[in-house]
């Protein structure tokens, strides 16, 4: 809760925090990265996870700078929830877990040090650099593009914001649902509305 807001004290809040701390420990404790896939079977899932990681870095850094500590806590809880259900690239999972530990370190320093050691590090997390977000991976840098064939919606796919029209056209034409709708016919015209729609006319 925001610190300026009145809040009724309850022991349930303490129990909730304790349960979350135990979830964090189970998430990271004993992860065998050697047993994970070097490359995930779903490249889209891995890229989506990386966007979540870097968006969490960006948003939590901003929240801490603005003294919005309640929001900062919500950010790393969202990230840990996403990592719990992630089943993609092992390298991306490690990136996510290491980022998560660095993000929680100002809030739960002792737990962060234990988890950092569990991840195989000999250094202390307090001595590590604060993570820096890759702005090209932020959610704000990605848009959902509707792909139509002859004016009928066939699929919605994510593309980089302000992507080149030629690249947007290639991604749209390469999608299996679009190819199926085209039924082997060549496109007569491809209309790209930046950041919104690609309409293929056959």
């Amino acid at each position: 809760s925001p610190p300026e807001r009145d809040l009724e004290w309850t022991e349930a809040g303490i129990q909730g925090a304790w349960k979350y701390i135990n979830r964090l420990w189970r998430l990271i404790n004993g992860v065998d990265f050697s047993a994970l896939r070097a490359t995930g079977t779903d490249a889209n899932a891995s890229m989506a996870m990386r966007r979540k990681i870097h968006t969490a870095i960006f948003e939590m850094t901003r929240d801490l700078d603005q003294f919005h500590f309640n929001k900062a806590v919500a950010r790393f809880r969202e990230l840990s929830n996403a990592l719990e259900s992630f089943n993609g690239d092992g390298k991306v999972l490690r990136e996510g877990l290491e980022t998560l530990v660095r993000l929680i370190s100002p809030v739960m320093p002792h737990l962060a040090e234990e988890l950092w050691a569990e991840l195989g590090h000999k250094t202390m997390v307090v001595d590590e650099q604060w993570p820096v977000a890759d702005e090209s991976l932020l959610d704000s840098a990605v848009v959902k593009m509707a792909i139509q064939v002859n004016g009928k919606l066939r699929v919605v796919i994510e593309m980089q914001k302000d992507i080149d029209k030629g690249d947007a056209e290639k991604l749209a034409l390469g999608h299996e649902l679009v190819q199926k709708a085209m039924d082997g016919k060549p496109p007569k015209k491809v209309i790209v509305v930046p950041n919104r729609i690609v309409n293929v006319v056959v």
Side-chain angles (χ1 to χ4, degrees):
S1 177
E4 68 275 8
R5 183 181 300 172
D6 289 338
L7 183 69
E8 183 179 351
W9 178 264
T10 67
E11 291 189 3
I14 296 296
Q15 290 297 321
W18 172 241
K19 288 179 180 178
Y20 177 69
I21 288 172
N22 280 275
R23 279 176 56 199
L24 275 180
W25 179 258
R26 289 193 299 271
L27 175 63
I28 294 175
N29 179 253
V31 175
D32 183 5
F33 289 99
S34 64
L36 297 173
R37 292 188 294 276
T39 303
T41 55
D42 189 341
N44 290 331
S46 292
M47 180 55 68
M49 188 69 249
R50 293 203 71 218
R51 285 202 300 273
K52 290 181 187 296
I53 293 167
H54 287 268
T55 298
I57 295 170
F58 176 82
E59 292 180 340
M60 186 168 171
T61 301
R62 179 190 59 196
D63 292 337
L64 290 175
D65 286 343
Q66 296 175 352
F67 299 100
H68 294 162
F69 303 120
N70 59 307
K71 292 182 181 179
V73 171
R75 304 298 182 198
F76 66 67
R77 291 190 70 147
E78 289 173 4
L79 179 58
S80 65
N81 289 341
L83 288 167
E84 278 183 322
S85 59
F86 178 64
N87 191 31
D89 192 321
K91 290 181 180 179
V92 175
L93 178 60
R94 174 173 276 280
E95 177 186 6
L97 294 177
E98 291 188 345
T99 298
L100 177 63
V101 172
R102 286 190 284 173
L103 291 179
I104 71 169
S105 61
V107 183
M108 296 181 283
H110 298 88
L111 178 64
E113 294 297 348
E114 292 289 341
L115 294 176
W116 194 245
E118 284 293 319
L119 289 170
H121 295 284
K122 304 302 181 185
T123 58
M124 294 187 69
V125 70
V126 71
D127 294 326
E128 295 295 318
Q129 294 290 323
W130 184 255
V132 177
D134 182 341
E135 293 191 3
S136 69
L137 292 173
L138 299 183
D139 283 343
S140 59
V142 178
V143 293
K144 294 183 183 296
M145 296 276 280
I147 315 300
Q148 299 177 339
V149 177
N150 289 339
K152 186 174 182 180
L153 179 65
R154 297 297 177 176
V155 68
V156 176
I157 61 178
E158 291 184 341
M159 297 188 190
Q160 290 297 114
K161 188 176 181 181
D162 300 323
I163 189 173
D164 180 80
K165 286 187 177 181
D167 292 335
E169 179 179 329
K170 289 178 183 177
L171 287 171
L173 293 175
H175 197 282
E176 59 180 354
L177 294 178
V178 174
Q179 292 179 353
K180 182 179 179 181
M182 292 171 63
D183 196 25
K185 300 173 184 176
K188 291 181 180 179
K189 185 188 296 184
V190 179
I191 303 166
V192 179
V193 180
N195 301 323
R196 293 185 61 191
I197 296 172
V198 178
N199 189 24
V200 181
V201 181
V202 296

